[in-house]
Amino acid sequence: SAIAKIILAIWTAKTTTTTPTINGMKDFLNTANGDYVKTAYIADVVSGISETLFGAGQNITRQDICVMSYRMLNECDVEIPKKNEQIYFNDSEEISDYAKDAVTALQMAGVINGDETGNFNPIATATRAETAKIMYGIFNLIERGWTNA
């Protein structure tokens, strides 16, 4: 997945952790099991869409890119700032339970926001522009985390 490659590239660029040995990993049947997917799985950044499927080739939802980004920040021990007050999106009830903390943290950090109608659209596909905005925000949080450490 291109998203997993981006997140892993940011993570490995900022850590000295080497790619771990893979033991007992789920076999993601629909991916080539590239090192980026394996490392992101071991780091608990990604978990796949089932016990055996990673979801390679599928679009990523807005809530899932938030979850992956949030987990990566936590794995890198980056403190996520609370720059903004929490926004309760009009469609907050549509955000899956597993994604609520990630969406809230990234919204309060200023990485994500809703649309012009006050919706987050959690199950909508993340556009290239939205993905670039999130990656830019994540990169800035990591940069600040490392320079302020």
Side-chain angles (χ1 to χ4, degrees):
S1 162
I3 298 300
K5 283 183 187 178
I6 291 168
I7 290 174
L8 182 62
I10 293 169
W11 180 48
T12 55
K14 293 297 176 184
T15 65
T16 57
T17 305
T18 57
T19 302
T21 304
I22 310 302
N23 293 317
M25 183 190 141
K26 296 178 198 174
D27 180 22
F28 292 119
L29 298 177
N30 63 341
T31 184
N33 284 334
D35 286 340
Y36 58 92
V37 174
K38 292 177 185 177
T39 302
Y41 171 78
I42 288 172
D44 197 31
V45 172
V46 299
S47 59
I49 59 173
S50 75
E51 288 295 314
T52 58
L53 297 176
F54 175 66
Q58 292 185 6
N59 294 328
I60 189 166
T61 64
R62 291 171 48 89
Q63 69 182 1
D64 285 346
I65 196 169
C66 289
V67 169
M68 290 172 63
S69 300
Y70 179 72
R71 288 178 179 171
M72 191 265 311
L73 289 169
N74 286 326
E75 179 65 26
C76 292
D77 294 323
V78 173
E79 185 176 336
I80 303 173
K82 294 181 179 176
K83 297 179 4 177
N84 302 322
E85 292 294 320
Q86 182 176 356
I87 293 173
Y88 294 94
F89 298 110
N90 293 334
D91 58 353
S92 291
E93 70 283 347
E94 294 177 27
I95 300 171
S96 296
D97 288 341
Y98 72 86
K100 288 182 182 194
D101 290 344
V103 170
T104 298
L106 295 181
Q107 178 271 311
M108 291 178 73
V111 173
I112 63 166
N113 55 340
D115 65 16
E116 62 280 351
T117 65
N119 291 320
F120 174 64
N121 304 306
I123 58 174
T125 299
T127 66
R128 292 172 61 95
E130 291 165 343
T131 302
K133 179 185 184 299
I134 290 170
M135 293 298 104
Y136 179 79
I138 297 303
F139 181 75
N140 284 331
L141 290 177
I142 292 171
E143 280 292 303
R144 189 179 63 254
W146 256 266
T147 58
N148 290 339

